[in-house]
Amino acid sequence: MNYLVLVKTVVDDNGKRNVIEKIPYDGEVSLKSAYELCECETIDIKEVPFHAIPLSDVIVFLPKMTFIFDDEFLLKHSKPVANEIASLAFGYGRLHNQCLCGNVLFCETNEEGENFPFDEIYANALVKQLKTLGNHVSEIKFTVQQPTMTFREF
């Protein structure tokens, strides 16, 4: 069985919590399925290289993988909340200054640019690494950037 891995930050009456889901999935990840899983209408797709994340008592190694996330999240939400696990995995503070918000989908990308789920062993290992990141999110101060748009007159 193959799996996509989805990371959510849920804010409700119980406070804020991170949720990591392993979703059974076969075949190429379509735009329609990415929109549905990320709960959005516009996505951004970024490949992140293999990297190590040093934390207080452990180093988390994350493989090269593809991140799919809402490209317009900051423009559509008045009080956006950081998806801390996905931001750390994205390389927040080391590889990127961008804090991710909303649902973030993880998958693999082949040479033709097609996105595919992970095999079960790979997905299980990734979930374990993401949970380790989740245990350390309190060590990092996440700053959600303000949305910026520049309009030019012609």
Side-chain angles (χ1 to χ4, degrees), residues 6-9 37-39 68-70 83 101-105:
L6 181 67
V7 177
K8 300 179 180 184
T9 297
L37 291 166
C38 291
E39 298 176 17
I68 300 175
F69 52 93
D70 187 347
N83 183 326
C101 298
N103 298 340
V104 179
L105 187 64

Side-chain angles (χ1 to χ4, degrees), residues 40-135:
C40 66
E41 298 168 353
T42 307
I43 58 171
D44 197 354
I45 300 173
K46 299 282 186 197
E47 276 191 80
V48 176
F50 170 85
H51 63 285
I53 302 169
L55 300 165
S56 62
D57 62 348
V58 67
I59 296 176
V60 174
F61 294 94
L62 288 174
K64 174 184 166 191
M65 60 185 163
T66 299
F67 289 61
I68 300 175
F69 52 93
D70 187 347
D71 190 38
E72 296 179 337
F73 191 91
L74 295 176
L75 298 173
K76 296 185 292 187
H77 296 83
S78 60
K79 294 182 181 180
V81 176
N83 183 326
E84 298 146 331
I85 294 174
S87 295
L88 278 176
F90 195 60
Y92 178 71
R94 290 172 315 285
L95 301 176
H96 304 281
N97 290 326
Q98 183 178 7
C99 188
L100 300 180
C101 298
N103 298 340
V104 179
L105 187 64
F106 299 95
C107 61
E108 294 186 279
T109 301
N110 67 15
E111 294 80 27
E112 288 79 38
E114 300 165 323
N115 298 311
F116 290 93
F118 304 108
D119 67 35
E120 186 169 15
I121 293 171
Y122 199 99
N124 289 339
L126 178 57
V127 166
K128 183 176 180 180
Q129 295 298 75
L130 293 173
K131 285 181 178 179
T132 300
L133 288 180
N135 293 333

Side-chain angles (χ1 to χ4, degrees), residues 136-154:
H136 292 271
V137 295
S138 62
E139 297 173 18
I140 310 293
K141 181 181 182 327
F142 294 90
T143 303
V144 177
Q145 62 275 17
Q146 295 296 314
T148 57
M149 293 183 71
T150 304
F151 294 96
R152 296 183 185 182
E153 292 185 31
F154 293 96

